[in-house]
Amino acid sequence: MAVGIPLLYGSDFSGADRARPRAAARRRAVRHRSVLSATINGRGLPGYSAAAVISTRDCPRPLRGLHPDAGDIGAAVASSLSYAINFAITAGYYHQATGDRVAPLLVPTREEVADLRGLVSPSQRARPPAA
């Protein structure tokens, strides 16, 4: 993929592959925030989800201003921080909407880990389901 970026967009984008690892945290924050927002919306409180998004809409600009010479890496870090802040605000609204804390939900249970192992392990796939 790193080779494809300069081929598609030109040599000006040859450094884009350095910012890609920072996107992993951003993707995680977006996935978790999406689940929390769906729960909030399902409880009939879509205003909370909208407030979380609106409150962090312009967040990357001041964060990038902290290190204006950081270039594409600075932009990636600022964007990741913005998504992390948005996740934290959404987690607060989730707590208000449900009364549940978010931190315990982020740690997989033994049953969830066993289910994941069963999906990956070929020996588990060969077994017939228990009656």
Side-chain angles (χ1 to χ4, degrees):
M1 181 70 174
V3 174
I5 294 172
L7 286 175
L8 288 172
Y9 299 105
S11 61
D12 290 342
F13 291 87
S14 61
D17 60 319
R18 291 180 296 157
R20 202 170 33 166
R22 286 140 188 96
R26 189 170 46 232
R27 285 190 301 270
R28 248 188 319 278
V30 168
R31 283 194 303 264
H32 293 314
R33 181 196 51 82
S34 297
V35 171
L36 296 179
S37 292
T39 303
I40 293 168
N41 293 341
R43 298 277 175 118
L45 300 166
Y48 284 179
S49 296
V53 171
I54 291 169
S55 65
T56 56
R57 181 181 53 133
D58 295 325
C59 196
R61 286 188 203 132
L63 289 174
R64 185 160 183 202
L66 295 174
H67 297 286
D69 296 330
D72 58 345
I73 300 299
V77 170
S79 178
S80 296
L81 286 173
S82 173
Y83 281 104
I85 291 168
N86 181 262
F87 170 76
I89 291 171
T90 303
Y93 283 128
Y94 175 87
H95 179 68
Q96 285 183 346
T98 66
D100 295 336
R101 292 182 40 224
V102 174
L105 302 175
L106 299 176
V107 179
T109 64
R110 288 180 190 223
E111 292 82 16
E112 291 169 337
V113 171
D115 287 344
L116 289 173
R117 285 187 180 148
L119 290 172
V120 176
S121 173
S123 62
Q124 293 291 328
R125 280 188 256 144
R127 289 186 195 167

